[in-house]
């Protein structure tokens, strides 16, 4: 099917319908954050709380070269250079991790799908989607978590959010806060879930 933020959001809704789930607490990271946010905007009756980790859709800035480099990398050395951009402490990237990511990237159709996703997110080296007005008008528990040293989507994109949205900026943390600071992330999620 078509890969769009709206289409991917509909997948969540269809999953919930198929499984008789009437209320959800959505948690999303990066692209997943944008998808969860779109779902909350379009289906606020379904969503009880929203926890977003370095989400797309709250500003223009994004390191578009990361996506280009990630898509085109086809060996461990190239891939490691790109994955290091995700972390404050890049020593978290092991040889096993690199091998697993390379294995997934080599599946048929993955490069094409990643290219479609990139084009859904980025236009002229900026984010295409901006949900700032919509998120500020949502009436539900919202928590946004960001690594202060995020090199992919800068944490300053929280600056235009209203005072009802809980914002947590984590020091010594990059784009992958859920991996670099899992205890803190879990605490914030628990606090936000109704």
């Amino acid at each position: 099917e078509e890969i769009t933020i709206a289409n991917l959001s509909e997948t969540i809704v269809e999953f919930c319908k198929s499984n008789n789930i009437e209320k959800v607490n959505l948690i999303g990271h990066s692209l997943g954050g944008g998808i969860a946010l779109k779902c909350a905007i379009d289906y606020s009756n379904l969503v009880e709380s929203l926890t977003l980790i370095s989400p797309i859709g709250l500003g223009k800035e994004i390191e578009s070269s990361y996506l280009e480099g990630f898509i085109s990398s086809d060996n461990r050395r190239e891939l490691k250079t790109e994955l290091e951009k995700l972390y404050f402490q890049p020593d978290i990237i092991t040889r096993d991790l690199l091998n697993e990511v390379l294995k997934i990237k080599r599946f048929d159709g993955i490069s094409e799908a990643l290219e479609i996703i990139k084009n859904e997110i980025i236009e002229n080296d900026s984010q295409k989607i901006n949900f700032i007005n919509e998120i500020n008008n949502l009436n539900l528990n919202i928590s946004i978590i960001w690594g202060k040293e995020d090199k992919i989507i800068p944490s300053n994109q929280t600056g235009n959010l209203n005072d009802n949205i809980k914002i947590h900026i984590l020091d010594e943390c990059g784009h992958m806060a859920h991996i670099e600071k899992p205890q803190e992330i879990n605490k914030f999620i628990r606090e936000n879930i109704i």
Side-chain angles (χ1 to χ4, degrees), residues 5 34 56-60 120-122 126-132:
I5 301 297
I56 64 165
L58 300 182
K60 285 288 201 188
E120 174 69 5
I121 298 170
I122 296 174
S126 297
Q127 291 187 60
K128 284 170 69 170
I129 299 160
N130 190 329
F131 293 131
I132 200 74

Side-chain angles (χ1 to χ4, degrees), residues 149-186:
E149 286 76 32
D150 191 330
K151 296 175 192 156
I152 308 302
I153 306 173
S155 62
N156 65 6
Q157 294 186 14
T158 59
N160 294 320
L161 297 171
N162 71 40
D163 293 337
N164 297 325
I165 298 172
K166 295 177 254 15
I167 299 169
H168 310 280
I169 307 294
L170 302 176
D171 290 330
E172 298 185 353
C173 187
H175 190 66
M176 306 295 277
H178 53 292
I179 294 175
E180 291 189 284
K181 305 271 183 170
Q183 285 85 9
E184 289 94 326
I185 299 299
N186 290 338

Side-chain angles (χ1 to χ4, degrees), residues 23 45-46 52 91 96 112 182:
K23 292 287 185 183
N45 59 329
L46 173 67
L52 307 176
D91 58 349
D96 287 344
E112 293 81 8

Side-chain angles (χ1 to χ4, degrees), residues 7-157:
N7 180 271
L8 294 167
S9 168
E10 287 290 328
T11 302
I12 296 171
V13 175
E14 291 304 316
F15 174 84
C16 291
K17 286 179 185 173
S18 296
N19 291 282
N20 299 314
I21 299 169
E22 296 179 4
K23 292 287 185 183
V24 293
N25 296 285
L26 290 180
I27 302 164
H29 167 255
S30 199
L31 170 62
I35 295 165
L37 179 51
K38 177 67 172 157
C39 188
I41 292 164
D42 293 345
Y43 298 95
S44 58
N45 59 329
L46 173 67
V47 180
E48 287 195 327
S49 74
L50 192 59
T51 304
L52 307 176
I53 305 165
S54 297
I56 64 165
L58 300 182
K60 285 288 201 188
E61 291 177 81
I62 189 167
E63 180 52 60
S64 60
S65 68
Y66 163 73
L67 289 173
E68 297 281 349
F70 179 80
I71 292 168
S72 66
S73 61
D74 64 356
N75 63 54
R76 274 195 300 270
R77 186 175 43 78
E78 290 174 0
L79 183 60
K80 186 171 193 269
T81 299
E82 296 308 318
L83 292 182
E84 284 176 342
K85 296 174 184 176
L86 298 174
Y87 299 93
F88 175 72
Q89 296 198 1
D91 58 349
I92 200 166
I93 301 165
T94 64
R95 186 176 186 89
D96 287 344
L97 173 65
L98 290 169
N99 288 337
E100 285 301 312
V101 174
L102 278 173
K103 188 184 337 176
I104 292 166
K105 285 187 76 230
R106 291 179 177 145
F107 288 151
D108 286 343
I110 290 292
S111 291
E112 293 81 8
L114 289 172
E115 195 67 36
I116 291 168
I117 290 169
K118 179 194 76 158
N119 292 333
E120 174 69 5
I121 298 170
I122 296 174
E123 184 174 69
N124 298 324
D125 295 326
S126 297
Q127 291 187 60
K128 284 170 69 170
I129 299 160
N130 190 329
F131 293 131
I132 200 74
N133 292 330
E134 292 90 339
I135 194 172
N136 280 329
N137 290 319
L138 285 174
N139 187 22
L140 55 109
N141 279 2
I142 302 172
S143 182
I144 298 185
I145 306 163
W146 227 300
K148 188 174 184 180
E149 286 76 32
D150 191 330
K151 296 175 192 156
I152 308 302
I153 306 173
S155 62
N156 65 6
Q157 294 186 14

